Amino acid sequence: MKKNYAEKTINGNFTLKINPKDTIAWKLMMLIDAATSKEESIEQISHKYGYTREHFYVIKKKYEDNGSQALSDKPKGPKSNYKRTNEIEKHIIRHRFLDPDANSEVIAQKMNQNGHAISQRSVERTISEYDLQKKGYIKQLKKQRERVLRSQNKKQNGIQGKKH
């Protein structure tokens, strides 16, 4: 629905109010209204409920094929992260692990240089989604890297010492 419409009230043995925000009930009410009306045209009825005549027939077809559950509105917007694919997210995480001090701007710049079109904001979202922005996390990574480097140096020194 595009506009704000008033509730429809049906009176009989009891009063039933149909809220326009309840899209399933609203569309079903429009279909019932069209099926029972003899004076109004489909176009008049559909406009009364905020739809075009063409959209009315789309709604009618959905209802005929799949019942009232087919009348629910589908979520709008992108269905997936078309910019932040799994591969892109892996690259961002890899860059973050390789250089914990690099900010999102630097990571986005590196990604763009490598041929992956990504914005700084998308990098920030990925970093925050994986909780890679915490200050304690960066300190922990630095300590871990220092330990790995020390152990690698010890191994290399031990190998060199055996050769001599």
Side-chain angles (χ1 to χ4, degrees), residues 13-31:
N13 291 334
F14 62 94
T15 301
L16 183 65
K17 292 183 179 183
I18 308 294
N19 188 331
K21 292 179 183 172
D22 183 355
T23 57
I24 295 174
W26 189 254
K27 290 176 183 177
L28 189 57
M29 182 66 198
M30 177 179 65
L31 292 174

Side-chain angles (χ1 to χ4, degrees), residues 88-104 106-107 110-111 123 126-127 129-134 136-146 148-149:
I88 297 291
E89 285 186 345
K90 286 177 186 176
H91 282 294
I92 292 170
I93 293 166
R94 189 177 122 266
H95 280 294
R96 186 64 167 183
F97 277 115
L98 292 174
D99 188 4
D101 292 328
N103 61 20
S104 57
V106 171
I107 293 173
K110 287 179 182 179
M111 297 282 294
V123 172
T126 302
I127 288 171
E129 283 176 12
Y130 288 92
D131 288 331
L132 302 177
Q133 78 279 10
K134 297 177 182 170
Y137 160 78
I138 292 175
K139 288 179 184 176
Q140 183 182 1
L141 269 182
K142 284 181 181 178
K143 287 180 184 178
Q144 194 174 15
R145 181 182 287 156
E146 288 171 6
V148 169
L149 289 174

Side-chain angles (χ1 to χ4, degrees), residues 2-161:
K2 298 172 188 136
K3 300 175 185 173
N4 294 328
Y5 288 88
E7 280 185 339
K8 298 281 183 195
T9 305
I10 303 169
N11 294 311
N13 291 334
F14 62 94
T15 301
L16 183 65
K17 292 183 179 183
I18 308 294
N19 188 331
K21 292 179 183 172
D22 183 355
T23 57
I24 295 174
W26 189 254
K27 290 176 183 177
L28 189 57
M29 182 66 198
M30 177 179 65
L31 292 174
I32 292 168
D33 200 2
T36 58
S37 177
K38 295 189 190 313
E39 300 88 37
E40 290 182 296
S41 68
I42 297 296
E43 190 167 4
Q44 290 170 326
I45 293 170
S46 60
H47 284 290
K48 189 165 68 173
Y49 286 87
Y51 297 103
T52 63
R53 185 179 64 78
E54 292 81 10
H55 198 182
F56 170 85
Y57 285 107
V58 170
I59 292 168
K60 180 178 177 275
K61 174 91 171 106
K62 283 183 181 181
Y63 178 75
E64 288 170 344
D65 291 346
N66 298 310
S68 61
Q69 291 304 312
L71 300 179
S72 66
D73 288 340
K74 304 295 181 256
K76 294 171 177 63
K79 307 300 180 245
S80 64
N81 287 331
Y82 62 95
K83 289 283 188 185
R84 290 188 301 145
T85 61
N86 287 338
E87 179 190 353
I88 297 291
E89 285 186 345
K90 286 177 186 176
H91 282 294
I92 292 170
I93 293 166
R94 189 177 122 266
H95 280 294
R96 186 64 167 183
F97 277 115
L98 292 174
D99 188 4
D101 292 328
N103 61 20
S104 57
E105 183 180 6
V106 171
I107 293 173
Q109 197 172 42
K110 287 179 182 179
M111 297 282 294
N112 285 312
Q113 288 171 351
N114 290 329
H116 302 290
I118 191 84
S119 68
Q120 180 181 346
R121 181 67 184 119
S122 291
V123 172
E124 290 169 358
R125 283 188 185 111
T126 302
I127 288 171
S128 67
E129 283 176 12
Y130 288 92
D131 288 331
L132 302 177
Q133 78 279 10
K134 297 177 182 170
K135 292 177 184 175
Y137 160 78
I138 292 175
K139 288 179 184 176
Q140 183 182 1
L141 269 182
K142 284 181 181 178
K143 287 180 184 178
Q144 194 174 15
R145 181 182 287 156
E146 288 171 6
R147 277 188 240 125
V148 169
L149 289 174
R150 272 189 253 129
S151 68
Q152 286 176 347
N153 287 339
K154 286 179 184 177
K155 286 179 185 178
Q156 286 178 347
N157 290 338
I159 292 171
Q160 289 175 356

